[in-house]
Amino acid sequence: VNNMDSSLIRFLLIMIKVLIQMSKFSGGPSIFRKRLSTALEKVPDIQVIHDKNEKFDVELSFIQHLNKHNKPNVLRVDGCYWRSSQVKQNKPMIASIKKSSKVIYQSDFSRQMCQSIMHVDPPYEVIHNGIDLQYIKSIEPDKTIPPGSFVACAEWRDIKRPASIIKGFVRAELDADLFMIGDSK
């Protein structure tokens, strides 16, 4: 240790502090945020901070930045408003994307949609979003559901397009059943 440069010693002792605010947003973004926060808390050299008033090195935001600071900010985006009557609602997300050090899209479709509709092309990565397959594997199949059936699960609201799912299923004229699972808002 005596031969080591003191700045190298300080570097080796530094733990990166990541701010992840748990307020605002629900559904998929909230679930993904919680899973990511839990996973990062298991990494020895990362300390997850949830209080914006604590010192941190980088912020991981979801959908839009909630804080103003001069630290690097990574933004997770899962899509944008695409209906002509709602496109203006993308403005806070566009501003956040432009201020981001990096954007994480949940799928390549999400990236293409955002770039096409919002006309943004930030540095990005695609990290696929999805359900915990171990949890799914632990559930016994329902023997009353016929094989080959289609199941759509969501907290049903307009943006999930339940009517479009039903219309598309009916138009496909499949010899199968469609099950719609979940509450409506």
Side-chain angles (χ1 to χ4, degrees):
V1 173
N2 291 341
N3 295 337
M4 288 182 133
D5 182 311
S6 61
S7 62
L8 178 60
I9 293 171
R10 281 195 303 276
F11 174 77
L12 293 173
L13 296 176
I14 291 176
M15 174 182 289
I16 189 167
K17 294 181 180 183
V18 179
L19 173 63
I20 300 178
Q21 285 195 67
M22 302 307 275
S23 62
K24 198 160 178 173
F25 309 119
S26 61
S30 176
I31 294 166
F32 181 82
R33 176 180 56 202
K34 179 65 180 156
R35 286 183 190 159
L36 188 56
S37 180
T38 300
L40 288 175
E41 287 168 355
K42 295 175 183 176
V43 178
D45 297 330
I46 295 177
Q47 180 182 0
V48 177
I49 307 293
H50 297 294
D51 182 350
K52 66 181 179 182
N53 297 315
E54 288 187 49
K55 289 185 177 184
F56 61 92
D57 301 302
V58 63
E59 181 173 9
L60 180 55
S61 300
F62 298 80
I63 303 174
Q64 69 187 59
H65 301 311
L66 301 177
N67 301 302
K68 291 183 180 181
H69 53 75
N70 61 356
K71 307 283 175 125
N73 204 321
V74 177
L75 181 69
R76 189 268 188 173
V77 175
D78 61 352
C80 65
Y81 293 99
W82 51 271
R83 290 183 178 139
S84 57
S85 63
Q86 296 177 311
V87 169
K88 289 180 182 176
Q89 294 178 44
N90 289 321
K91 283 186 178 185
M93 193 176 354
I94 292 169
S96 292
I97 287 171
K98 288 180 177 180
K99 292 178 185 174
S100 296
S101 306
K102 191 91 161 193
V103 173
I104 299 171
Y105 292 105
Q106 78 165 16
S107 67
D108 201 50
F109 174 82
S110 172
R111 176 192 62 80
Q112 290 175 22
M113 181 171 91
C114 290
Q115 289 179 345
S116 172
I117 293 169
M118 297 191 295
H119 308 290
V120 293
D121 191 17
Y124 72 89
E125 292 293 328
V126 173
I127 300 177
H128 292 102
N129 196 27
I131 193 159
D132 180 356
L133 292 179
Q134 294 299 53
Y135 175 74
I136 295 298
K137 289 176 183 177
S138 73
I139 299 172
E140 284 293 318
D142 185 336
K143 306 275 191 238
T144 64
I145 296 177
S149 296
F150 289 81
V151 179
C153 302
E155 183 178 295
W156 295 107
R157 51 198 190 278
D158 242 13
I159 194 75
K160 297 294 183 177
R161 301 182 296 279
S164 295
I165 292 170
I166 294 167
K167 285 177 190 174
F169 182 80
V170 170
R171 284 184 69 190
E173 297 181 354
L174 300 172
D175 185 23
D177 295 312
L178 171 65
F179 292 85
M180 303 284 287
I181 299 173
D183 292 330
S184 62
K185 266 194 159 181

